Amino acid sequence: MRSILLSGGSGKRLWPLSNDSRSKQFLKVLHGPEGDPESMVQRVWRQLNDAGIATQALIATSLPQVEILTSQLGDDVRLVVEPERRDTFPAIALAASYLYSVESVSLSETVAVLPVDPFVEKEFFEVLATLPEMLDKSGADLALMGVVPTYPSEKYGYIIPQSASSSESSNEYVHVAKFQEKPCESDAALMIEQAALWNCGVFAFKLEYLINLLIEMELPIQYDEMLKQYGRLEKISFDYQVVEKANQVITIPYKGFWKDLGTWNTLTEEMGTAVVGKGWITEDSHNTHLINELNIPVAVLGLSGVVVAVSPDGILVSDKEASPRIKEIVKNEDQRPMYEERRWGCYRVLDYTRNEAGGEVLTKRICISAGKNLSYQYHLLRNEVWTVVSGTGELILNGQRRTISQGDTVIIDRSMLHSVRAVTELEIIEVQIGSQLIEEDIVRVSTEWQDIVQTYVKHA
């Protein structure tokens, strides 16, 4: 079985920690087995490794998430990158074309698709592993995992099974009659009485099924061609395009633990500690959480049932039950992300100003992990001034290589090629000055440090 993990979205319901480049699955607010901070995607990837299926998995994602996925999961994770965001059907079609034409996966192979951030225990992956067998036994087009509900929720979609007396049903799976999106609580209660299941977004199919569907739709099945034509694919979910139109769909009930940590009130239930970062919560504050990413203390006094989240992007103080409403408040906010994780470390925006003449000045604090390096690159729209705050590194500037350390200043004019490698963890204050300060103003010449040294360093 091959697995496709879908990693997308901006996670506005977890603002201000989540933004367009750091979705909810990348927030390190959970605890790993050793008590270390862990994100949702790191937790799921660890569980896939424990289940022995990570080596057969790839992640379908968008370009803005490539750096943070590499940073959190390592360089070995296999990614299929959308040229642009176009919803789940195009993303899965792109990944399927990659499996078929690049990896030469057999058409008879089962492909399982799941979100990159389900909060589940190991039993979930044991049920996931049964999907190939259930597809073979039933002869169905698609096999879904359905979570046995614990209460009538309005937040989830429901899978309505055929009557339990149907001869087509079995003890291991049931055939699906229809789907219902996010019903009201009373309707959800009636559905649960009919043995309806929560739709957790996990399903499987034979690779041949989807490849044939792409051919019928006159879409490419070769990966390179799919990339070229990706922009003409309709923005539509896999559920609407495929699942609800399939002739035979079965569902496998999952009775174990499953939770969607998509809002502050659900995420804080699983955090394990009330305070993350610098700050205090007084003892008369019950069921209250503080998550602070800034280097200034935050005190919460006498407030119960509240979440306080502080980041360079903003500050949230909310009643936990009301916290999902933040998505509506910030939905039109177009502020640039003030914090990003990259494959080499992270950066935080400290200040941004625009003068009357239209010039811009942006100040960042950059942290490069030991042994990591920036790409060999240049800019067309800005000059940069670096001041080394701590650590040591190797700088290559227009082919000249030298060591930099605390207190050193580097001036980088536009069009000057530059890269730096951290010998020890390296912190740099970077001041950008230019007419348009955007992340896209980077022309990368080379990424790997050894290639940069061997190809571009001038030797005496």
Side-chain angles (χ1 to χ4, degrees):
M1 182 178 73
R2 299 300 184 102
S3 299
I4 300 171
L5 280 71
L6 299 179
S7 179
S10 59
K12 290 293 181 67
R13 289 181 297 174
L14 293 176
W15 186 91
L17 268 64
S18 61
N19 55 40
D20 285 338
S21 64
R22 184 173 59 151
S23 303
K24 66 176 183 177
Q25 60 263 32
F26 303 117
L27 304 181
K28 294 183 180 180
V29 294
L30 303 176
H31 283 139
E34 306 301 322
D36 298 329
E38 185 177 58
S39 68
M40 299 180 206
V41 69
Q42 288 174 318
R43 185 178 193 271
V44 167
W45 199 252
R46 171 174 56 79
Q47 291 175 314
L48 286 169
N49 272 302
D50 291 344
I53 53 179
T55 57
Q56 299 298 305
L58 58 81
I59 299 177
T61 189
S62 57
L63 192 59
Q65 294 187 0
V66 169
E67 295 262 346
I68 194 169
L69 278 165
T70 303
S71 171
Q72 293 200 357
L73 302 182
D75 295 329
D76 294 335
V77 62
R78 289 156 54 238
L79 305 177
V80 171
V81 183
E82 294 180 276
E84 57 184 273
R85 289 177 174 170
R86 301 201 69 80
D87 217 325
T88 54
F89 172 71
I92 293 167
L94 182 66
S97 72
Y98 178 86
L99 292 175
Y100 170 71
S101 66
V102 177
E103 295 201 350
S104 301
V105 172
S106 169
L107 287 171
S108 62
E109 185 81 22
T110 297
V111 178
V113 179
L114 64 155
V116 80
D117 57 356
F119 193 78
V120 294
E121 302 300 342
K122 65 177 183 179
E123 292 78 16
F124 178 89
F125 299 96
E126 293 172 359
V127 175
L128 182 72
T130 68
L131 292 178
E133 180 185 1
M134 296 302 105
L135 275 176
D136 290 337
K137 281 186 176 181
S138 65
D141 297 325
L142 294 163
L144 281 65
M145 278 180 63
V147 177
V148 176
T150 52
Y151 66 100
S153 172
E154 300 177 357
K155 297 185 297 182
Y156 309 130
Y158 285 74
I159 304 169
I160 315 298
Q162 291 181 3
S163 170
S165 62
S166 170
S167 61
E168 293 182 318
S169 300
S170 78
N171 293 327
E172 299 169 310
Y173 63 84
V174 292
H175 282 256
V176 174
K178 62 179 181 177
F179 300 90
Q180 177 65 53
E181 276 298 311
K182 299 179 181 179
C184 65
E185 186 175 329
S186 58
D187 287 347
L190 291 174
M191 292 177 191
I192 291 174
E193 291 179 4
Q194 299 168 19
L197 305 168
W198 284 337
N199 188 348
C200 62
V202 178
F203 51 87
F205 50 82
K206 297 296 184 181
L207 182 58
E208 181 179 28
Y209 175 75
L210 190 55
I211 294 298
N212 286 339
L213 183 62
L214 295 178
I215 294 171
E216 288 176 17
M217 297 174 68
E218 298 184 347
L219 293 173
I221 59 174
Q222 299 297 318
Y223 177 68
D224 290 344
E225 191 61 31
M226 177 69 83
L227 283 174
K228 293 177 184 177
Q229 298 189 35
Y230 200 71
R232 77 177 184 91
L233 270 67
E234 182 183 0
K235 291 183 177 180
I236 189 170
S237 73
F238 193 88
D239 282 352
Y240 288 137
Q241 183 65 53
V242 179
V243 178
E244 295 188 8
K245 297 177 181 178
N247 293 323
Q248 292 190 64
V249 183
I250 62 166
T251 183
I252 295 90
Y254 166 65
K255 300 177 182 179
F257 181 81
W258 175 84
K259 197 170 189 178
D260 177 13
L261 303 187
T263 59
W264 279 117
N265 52 338
T266 55
L267 179 59
T268 52
E269 291 173 355
E270 304 299 335
M271 280 175 46
T273 182
V275 177
V276 176
K278 185 177 288 188
W280 314 274
I281 297 176
T282 57
E283 291 184 359
D284 58 343
S285 300
H286 305 290
N287 187 31
T288 288
H289 285 78
L290 165 65
I291 304 94
N292 181 13
E293 291 193 329
L294 300 184
N295 196 34
I296 55 174
V298 176
V300 182
L301 287 70
L303 294 176
S304 297
V306 167
V307 57
V308 178
V310 183
S311 88
D313 281 28
I315 299 172
L316 170 70
V317 181
S318 173
D319 175 83
K320 286 189 175 180
E321 292 302 314
S323 63
R325 290 160 49 193
I326 189 62
K327 183 177 181 180
E328 293 303 311
I329 293 175
V330 301
K331 65 181 179 181
N332 296 320
E333 176 62 47
D334 60 355
Q335 173 183 298
R336 64 174 294 153
M338 304 294 277
Y339 174 88
E340 289 196 42
E341 271 189 58
R342 297 296 182 90
R343 59 176 178 79
W344 42 259
C346 63
Y347 76 77
R348 178 169 294 163
V349 175
L350 302 178
D351 186 58
Y352 169 77
T353 58
R354 179 194 292 268
N355 60 36
E356 292 181 356
E360 301 180 17
V361 180
L362 181 72
T363 305
K364 290 181 177 180
R365 189 182 191 99
I366 298 173
C367 182
I368 306 172
S369 303
K372 300 290 186 178
N373 67 277
L374 305 186
S375 60
Y376 200 43
Q377 59 187 248
Y378 64 92
H379 313 291
L380 298 173
L381 304 174
R382 68 179 185 249
N383 301 325
E384 295 180 350
V385 179
W386 293 359
T387 301
V388 180
V389 176
S390 64
T392 60
E394 295 178 273
L395 172 73
I396 300 176
L397 184 61
N398 270 356
Q400 301 296 324
R401 184 181 184 183
R402 65 183 174 94
T403 299
I404 57 173
S405 58
Q406 186 180 38
D408 287 343
T409 298
V410 181
I411 297 175
I412 304 169
D413 292 331
R414 66 190 68 191
S415 298
M416 291 181 69
L417 283 161
H418 59 280
S419 178
V420 65
R421 175 183 176 272
V423 177
T424 63
E425 185 173 87
L426 190 64
E427 285 196 70
I428 296 172
I429 300 297
E430 176 185 274
V431 180
Q432 301 177 5
I433 305 168
S435 59
Q436 189 179 15
L437 303 181
I438 55 175
E439 289 303 312
E440 291 76 16
D441 180 27
I442 299 177
V443 180
R444 292 182 174 87
V445 176
S446 185
T447 302
E448 297 300 321
W449 183 254
Q450 285 302 116
D451 293 340
I452 298 170
V453 171
Q454 291 174 7
T455 307
Y456 298 101
V457 170
K458 299 175 182 177
H459 300 285

